[in-house]
Amino acid sequence: MDGREIDGRQFGLQSSALVMRLVRSRLLNLENSTREIPGWGYLIPQLEQVMCREDELLALVSSHISIIRPLLLEEDYNEEIISFIDRGFAIEIAPAPVEIPDVSENELFGVLYEAISEYRIEHYPYDIPHYEVLRNWAIYLTKCEEVACYLLWPCLKHKLTLPDTCMDAGAKLWKLGCRDRYWVKDLDFESKTVYVRAPWMDKRI
């Protein structure tokens, strides 16, 4: 073994240690206002303890949609969503009479969810053995793809120029109980509007 091999191994260990520190930092940010499900071990938000101002919620949803846009593949099946985002859209709090659509009908959420999942799977370093354990831990910690991608972001081998904060809004929406509570108004892309309603707003209905 020559000096270059030793240096390479040391660099790899230092790089892994840095990644672990970044993941740990993200975990600490996430653990606030969450609780563990007894017997199952995964985390869920403590919705009775978290809320934000309406303008903050609207900004989070807008940021999440816009920042995930580069992850959408330029394919025919994404054409409507891509066009909807690129043309610009308004974000509004859903009026009380409007019902939140079922996840199976919420195309905006579904497409963004798939894009996040596909990006994590495609860019994860499966060649590093202990990262497989890290991946499994991140997935089962909350059983939420947006959170798993948020935690594992420092590990990914990025091919796109994306900010380190790319998944921050998605993780915050999970903490607020809003990860699937945004949708295209009337499920009609011509509306040019996204509705959102947080759990604490249900009490007003």
PDB file of all heavy atoms in Angstrom, residues 120 124 126 129-143 148 152:
ATOM      1  N   ARG A 120     -33.521  10.626  -4.892  1.00  0.00           N
ATOM      2  CA  ARG A 120     -32.746  10.017  -3.806  1.00  0.00           C
ATOM      3  C   ARG A 120     -32.230   8.640  -4.212  1.00  0.00           C
ATOM      4  O   ARG A 120     -31.059   8.319  -3.996  1.00  0.00           O
ATOM      5  CB  ARG A 120     -33.608   9.886  -2.547  1.00  0.00           C
ATOM      6  CG  ARG A 120     -32.886   9.175  -1.410  1.00  0.00           C
ATOM      7  CD  ARG A 120     -33.786   8.907  -0.223  1.00  0.00           C
ATOM      8  NE  ARG A 120     -34.956   8.099  -0.555  1.00  0.00           N
ATOM      9  CZ  ARG A 120     -34.915   6.773  -0.737  1.00  0.00           C
ATOM     10  NH1 ARG A 120     -33.766   6.126  -0.672  1.00  0.00           N
ATOM     11  NH2 ARG A 120     -36.022   6.108  -1.011  1.00  0.00           N
ATOM     12  N   TYR A 124     -28.036   8.023  -4.642  1.00  0.00           N
ATOM     13  CA  TYR A 124     -27.501   7.543  -3.366  1.00  0.00           C
ATOM     14  C   TYR A 124     -26.248   6.697  -3.591  1.00  0.00           C
ATOM     15  O   TYR A 124     -26.189   5.902  -4.531  1.00  0.00           O
ATOM     16  CB  TYR A 124     -28.559   6.718  -2.614  1.00  0.00           C
ATOM     17  CG  TYR A 124     -28.222   6.578  -1.155  1.00  0.00           C
ATOM     18  CD1 TYR A 124     -28.382   7.655  -0.293  1.00  0.00           C
ATOM     19  CD2 TYR A 124     -27.712   5.383  -0.639  1.00  0.00           C
ATOM     20  CE1 TYR A 124     -28.053   7.545   1.050  1.00  0.00           C
ATOM     21  CE2 TYR A 124     -27.382   5.268   0.689  1.00  0.00           C
ATOM     22  CZ  TYR A 124     -27.550   6.363   1.532  1.00  0.00           C
ATOM     23  OH  TYR A 124     -27.209   6.248   2.855  1.00  0.00           O
ATOM     24  N   TYR A 126     -24.671   3.788  -3.062  1.00  0.00           N
ATOM     25  CA  TYR A 126     -24.861   2.421  -2.580  1.00  0.00           C
ATOM     26  C   TYR A 126     -23.537   1.661  -2.455  1.00  0.00           C
ATOM     27  O   TYR A 126     -23.483   0.605  -1.823  1.00  0.00           O
ATOM     28  CB  TYR A 126     -25.788   1.650  -3.526  1.00  0.00           C
ATOM     29  CG  TYR A 126     -27.182   2.215  -3.596  1.00  0.00           C
ATOM     30  CD1 TYR A 126     -27.550   3.090  -4.618  1.00  0.00           C
ATOM     31  CD2 TYR A 126     -28.136   1.891  -2.636  1.00  0.00           C
ATOM     32  CE1 TYR A 126     -28.833   3.623  -4.676  1.00  0.00           C
ATOM     33  CE2 TYR A 126     -29.424   2.410  -2.693  1.00  0.00           C
ATOM     34  CZ  TYR A 126     -29.760   3.278  -3.715  1.00  0.00           C
ATOM     35  OH  TYR A 126     -31.019   3.801  -3.774  1.00  0.00           O
ATOM     36  N   PRO A 129     -20.643   0.734   2.043  1.00  0.00           N
ATOM     37  CA  PRO A 129     -21.409  -0.263   2.795  1.00  0.00           C
ATOM     38  C   PRO A 129     -22.248   0.308   3.937  1.00  0.00           C
ATOM     39  O   PRO A 129     -23.433   0.013   4.044  1.00  0.00           O
ATOM     40  CB  PRO A 129     -20.322  -1.212   3.319  1.00  0.00           C
ATOM     41  CG  PRO A 129     -19.216  -1.090   2.319  1.00  0.00           C
ATOM     42  CD  PRO A 129     -19.229   0.343   1.884  1.00  0.00           C
ATOM     43  N   HIS A 130     -21.638   1.113   4.833  1.00  0.00           N
ATOM     44  CA  HIS A 130     -22.396   1.560   6.008  1.00  0.00           C
ATOM     45  C   HIS A 130     -23.469   2.580   5.646  1.00  0.00           C
ATOM     46  O   HIS A 130     -24.369   2.851   6.435  1.00  0.00           O
ATOM     47  CB  HIS A 130     -21.471   2.135   7.085  1.00  0.00           C
ATOM     48  CG  HIS A 130     -20.716   3.357   6.672  1.00  0.00           C
ATOM     49  ND1 HIS A 130     -19.551   3.298   5.938  1.00  0.00           N
ATOM     50  CD2 HIS A 130     -20.961   4.673   6.888  1.00  0.00           C
ATOM     51  CE1 HIS A 130     -19.104   4.518   5.722  1.00  0.00           C
ATOM     52  NE2 HIS A 130     -19.931   5.378   6.282  1.00  0.00           N
ATOM     53  N   TYR A 131     -23.407   3.127   4.423  1.00  0.00           N
ATOM     54  CA  TYR A 131     -24.452   4.051   3.994  1.00  0.00           C
ATOM     55  C   TYR A 131     -25.770   3.339   3.743  1.00  0.00           C
ATOM     56  O   TYR A 131     -26.834   3.955   3.751  1.00  0.00           O
ATOM     57  CB  TYR A 131     -24.007   4.794   2.724  1.00  0.00           C
ATOM     58  CG  TYR A 131     -23.166   6.025   2.997  1.00  0.00           C
ATOM     59  CD1 TYR A 131     -22.443   6.156   4.165  1.00  0.00           C
ATOM     60  CD2 TYR A 131     -23.110   7.048   2.074  1.00  0.00           C
ATOM     61  CE1 TYR A 131     -21.675   7.272   4.414  1.00  0.00           C
ATOM     62  CE2 TYR A 131     -22.331   8.193   2.304  1.00  0.00           C
ATOM     63  CZ  TYR A 131     -21.617   8.292   3.475  1.00  0.00           C
ATOM     64  OH  TYR A 131     -20.859   9.404   3.723  1.00  0.00           O
ATOM     65  N   GLU A 132     -25.723   2.033   3.505  1.00  0.00           N
ATOM     66  CA  GLU A 132     -26.952   1.264   3.329  1.00  0.00           C
ATOM     67  C   GLU A 132     -27.746   1.251   4.640  1.00  0.00           C
ATOM     68  O   GLU A 132     -28.977   1.380   4.641  1.00  0.00           O
ATOM     69  CB  GLU A 132     -26.624  -0.168   2.897  1.00  0.00           C
ATOM     70  CG  GLU A 132     -27.830  -1.040   2.631  1.00  0.00           C
ATOM     71  CD  GLU A 132     -28.577  -0.638   1.362  1.00  0.00           C
ATOM     72  OE1 GLU A 132     -28.035   0.164   0.578  1.00  0.00           O
ATOM     73  OE2 GLU A 132     -29.700  -1.129   1.165  1.00  0.00           O
ATOM     74  N   VAL A 133     -27.030   1.102   5.753  1.00  0.00           N
ATOM     75  CA  VAL A 133     -27.678   1.150   7.071  1.00  0.00           C
ATOM     76  C   VAL A 133     -28.260   2.536   7.316  1.00  0.00           C
ATOM     77  O   VAL A 133     -29.377   2.681   7.810  1.00  0.00           O
ATOM     78  CB  VAL A 133     -26.667   0.791   8.180  1.00  0.00           C
ATOM     79  CG1 VAL A 133     -27.312   0.935   9.558  1.00  0.00           C
ATOM     80  CG2 VAL A 133     -26.139  -0.617   7.982  1.00  0.00           C
ATOM     81  N   LEU A 134     -27.501   3.559   6.946  1.00  0.00           N
ATOM     82  CA  LEU A 134     -27.952   4.939   7.114  1.00  0.00           C
ATOM     83  C   LEU A 134     -29.219   5.204   6.304  1.00  0.00           C
ATOM     84  O   LEU A 134     -30.160   5.836   6.780  1.00  0.00           O
ATOM     85  CB  LEU A 134     -26.844   5.899   6.665  1.00  0.00           C
ATOM     86  CG  LEU A 134     -27.108   7.394   6.835  1.00  0.00           C
ATOM     87  CD1 LEU A 134     -27.241   7.745   8.307  1.00  0.00           C
ATOM     88  CD2 LEU A 134     -25.986   8.217   6.193  1.00  0.00           C
ATOM     89  N   ARG A 135     -29.258   4.682   5.098  1.00  0.00           N
ATOM     90  CA  ARG A 135     -30.428   4.849   4.230  1.00  0.00           C
ATOM     91  C   ARG A 135     -31.672   4.215   4.863  1.00  0.00           C
ATOM     92  O   ARG A 135     -32.742   4.823   4.920  1.00  0.00           O
ATOM     93  CB  ARG A 135     -30.161   4.230   2.861  1.00  0.00           C
ATOM     94  CG  ARG A 135     -31.317   4.359   1.873  1.00  0.00           C
ATOM     95  CD  ARG A 135     -31.022   3.593   0.598  1.00  0.00           C
ATOM     96  NE  ARG A 135     -31.042   2.165   0.830  1.00  0.00           N
ATOM     97  CZ  ARG A 135     -32.139   1.397   0.736  1.00  0.00           C
ATOM     98  NH1 ARG A 135     -33.295   1.935   0.431  1.00  0.00           N
ATOM     99  NH2 ARG A 135     -32.060   0.107   0.959  1.00  0.00           N
ATOM    100  N   ASN A 136     -31.522   2.986   5.334  1.00  0.00           N
ATOM    101  CA  ASN A 136     -32.657   2.293   5.958  1.00  0.00           C
ATOM    102  C   ASN A 136     -33.148   3.045   7.188  1.00  0.00           C
ATOM    103  O   ASN A 136     -34.359   3.163   7.423  1.00  0.00           O
ATOM    104  CB  ASN A 136     -32.262   0.868   6.328  1.00  0.00           C
ATOM    105  CG  ASN A 136     -32.034  -0.009   5.110  1.00  0.00           C
ATOM    106  OD1 ASN A 136     -32.547   0.272   4.027  1.00  0.00           O
ATOM    107  ND2 ASN A 136     -31.240  -1.061   5.261  1.00  0.00           N
ATOM    108  N   TRP A 137     -32.211   3.534   7.990  1.00  0.00           N
ATOM    109  CA  TRP A 137     -32.580   4.301   9.194  1.00  0.00           C
ATOM    110  C   TRP A 137     -33.379   5.545   8.827  1.00  0.00           C
ATOM    111  O   TRP A 137     -34.415   5.834   9.430  1.00  0.00           O
ATOM    112  CB  TRP A 137     -31.311   4.685   9.946  1.00  0.00           C
ATOM    113  CG  TRP A 137     -31.526   5.789  10.935  1.00  0.00           C
ATOM    114  CD1 TRP A 137     -32.067   5.677  12.183  1.00  0.00           C
ATOM    115  CD2 TRP A 137     -31.239   7.178  10.741  1.00  0.00           C
ATOM    116  NE1 TRP A 137     -32.125   6.922  12.785  1.00  0.00           N
ATOM    117  CE2 TRP A 137     -31.621   7.853  11.929  1.00  0.00           C
ATOM    118  CE3 TRP A 137     -30.684   7.918   9.693  1.00  0.00           C
ATOM    119  CZ2 TRP A 137     -31.471   9.230  12.083  1.00  0.00           C
ATOM    120  CZ3 TRP A 137     -30.523   9.285   9.842  1.00  0.00           C
ATOM    121  CH2 TRP A 137     -30.926   9.929  11.018  1.00  0.00           C
ATOM    122  N   ALA A 138     -32.908   6.289   7.819  1.00  0.00           N
ATOM    123  CA  ALA A 138     -33.569   7.540   7.433  1.00  0.00           C
ATOM    124  C   ALA A 138     -34.972   7.286   6.901  1.00  0.00           C
ATOM    125  O   ALA A 138     -35.904   8.059   7.172  1.00  0.00           O
ATOM    126  CB  ALA A 138     -32.736   8.276   6.384  1.00  0.00           C
ATOM    127  N   ILE A 139     -35.142   6.204   6.166  1.00  0.00           N
ATOM    128  CA  ILE A 139     -36.453   5.886   5.588  1.00  0.00           C
ATOM    129  C   ILE A 139     -37.452   5.517   6.677  1.00  0.00           C
ATOM    130  O   ILE A 139     -38.594   5.978   6.688  1.00  0.00           O
ATOM    131  CB  ILE A 139     -36.326   4.739   4.564  1.00  0.00           C
ATOM    132  CG1 ILE A 139     -35.571   5.230   3.313  1.00  0.00           C
ATOM    133  CG2 ILE A 139     -37.702   4.192   4.183  1.00  0.00           C
ATOM    134  CD1 ILE A 139     -35.239   4.124   2.328  1.00  0.00           C
ATOM    135  N   TYR A 140     -37.027   4.688   7.635  1.00  0.00           N
ATOM    136  CA  TYR A 140     -37.958   4.196   8.652  1.00  0.00           C
ATOM    137  C   TYR A 140     -38.103   5.138   9.835  1.00  0.00           C
ATOM    138  O   TYR A 140     -39.002   4.955  10.657  1.00  0.00           O
ATOM    139  CB  TYR A 140     -37.518   2.803   9.132  1.00  0.00           C
ATOM    140  CG  TYR A 140     -37.720   1.747   8.085  1.00  0.00           C
ATOM    141  CD1 TYR A 140     -36.636   1.184   7.420  1.00  0.00           C
ATOM    142  CD2 TYR A 140     -39.001   1.340   7.724  1.00  0.00           C
ATOM    143  CE1 TYR A 140     -36.832   0.226   6.430  1.00  0.00           C
ATOM    144  CE2 TYR A 140     -39.201   0.385   6.744  1.00  0.00           C
ATOM    145  CZ  TYR A 140     -38.111  -0.163   6.098  1.00  0.00           C
ATOM    146  OH  TYR A 140     -38.304  -1.104   5.120  1.00  0.00           O
ATOM    147  N   LEU A 141     -37.251   6.169   9.938  1.00  0.00           N
ATOM    148  CA  LEU A 141     -37.339   7.096  11.063  1.00  0.00           C
ATOM    149  C   LEU A 141     -38.688   7.800  11.111  1.00  0.00           C
ATOM    150  O   LEU A 141     -39.286   7.961  12.169  1.00  0.00           O
ATOM    151  CB  LEU A 141     -36.221   8.133  10.981  1.00  0.00           C
ATOM    152  CG  LEU A 141     -36.191   9.150  12.122  1.00  0.00           C
ATOM    153  CD1 LEU A 141     -35.803   8.475  13.433  1.00  0.00           C
ATOM    154  CD2 LEU A 141     -35.227  10.292  11.807  1.00  0.00           C
ATOM    155  N   THR A 142     -39.177   8.225   9.950  1.00  0.00           N
ATOM    156  CA  THR A 142     -40.473   8.913   9.899  1.00  0.00           C
ATOM    157  C   THR A 142     -41.416   8.302   8.865  1.00  0.00           C
ATOM    158  O   THR A 142     -42.588   8.690   8.803  1.00  0.00           O
ATOM    159  CB  THR A 142     -40.295  10.399   9.538  1.00  0.00           C
ATOM    160  OG1 THR A 142     -39.722  10.506   8.226  1.00  0.00           O
ATOM    161  CG2 THR A 142     -39.394  11.101  10.539  1.00  0.00           C
ATOM    162  N   LYS A 143     -40.913   7.379   8.033  1.00  0.00           N
ATOM    163  CA  LYS A 143     -41.697   6.793   6.941  1.00  0.00           C
ATOM    164  C   LYS A 143     -42.236   7.891   6.022  1.00  0.00           C
ATOM    165  O   LYS A 143     -43.349   7.793   5.492  1.00  0.00           O
ATOM    166  CB  LYS A 143     -42.836   5.929   7.481  1.00  0.00           C
ATOM    167  CG  LYS A 143     -42.345   4.737   8.299  1.00  0.00           C
ATOM    168  CD  LYS A 143     -43.457   3.780   8.650  1.00  0.00           C
ATOM    169  CE  LYS A 143     -42.908   2.560   9.363  1.00  0.00           C
ATOM    170  NZ  LYS A 143     -43.963   1.574   9.688  1.00  0.00           N
ATOM    171  N   ALA A 148     -36.788  11.697   4.681  1.00  0.00           N
ATOM    172  CA  ALA A 148     -35.643  10.835   4.387  1.00  0.00           C
ATOM    173  C   ALA A 148     -34.664  11.539   3.454  1.00  0.00           C
ATOM    174  O   ALA A 148     -33.447  11.511   3.671  1.00  0.00           O
ATOM    175  CB  ALA A 148     -36.115   9.518   3.769  1.00  0.00           C
ATOM    176  N   LEU A 152     -30.807  12.646   4.243  1.00  0.00           N
ATOM    177  CA  LEU A 152     -29.740  12.026   3.446  1.00  0.00           C
ATOM    178  C   LEU A 152     -29.134  12.966   2.410  1.00  0.00           C
ATOM    179  O   LEU A 152     -28.209  12.569   1.692  1.00  0.00           O
ATOM    180  CB  LEU A 152     -30.296  10.780   2.735  1.00  0.00           C
ATOM    181  CG  LEU A 152     -30.781   9.657   3.657  1.00  0.00           C
ATOM    182  CD1 LEU A 152     -31.446   8.558   2.840  1.00  0.00           C
ATOM    183  CD2 LEU A 152     -29.628   9.080   4.468  1.00  0.00           C
TER     184      LEU A 152
END
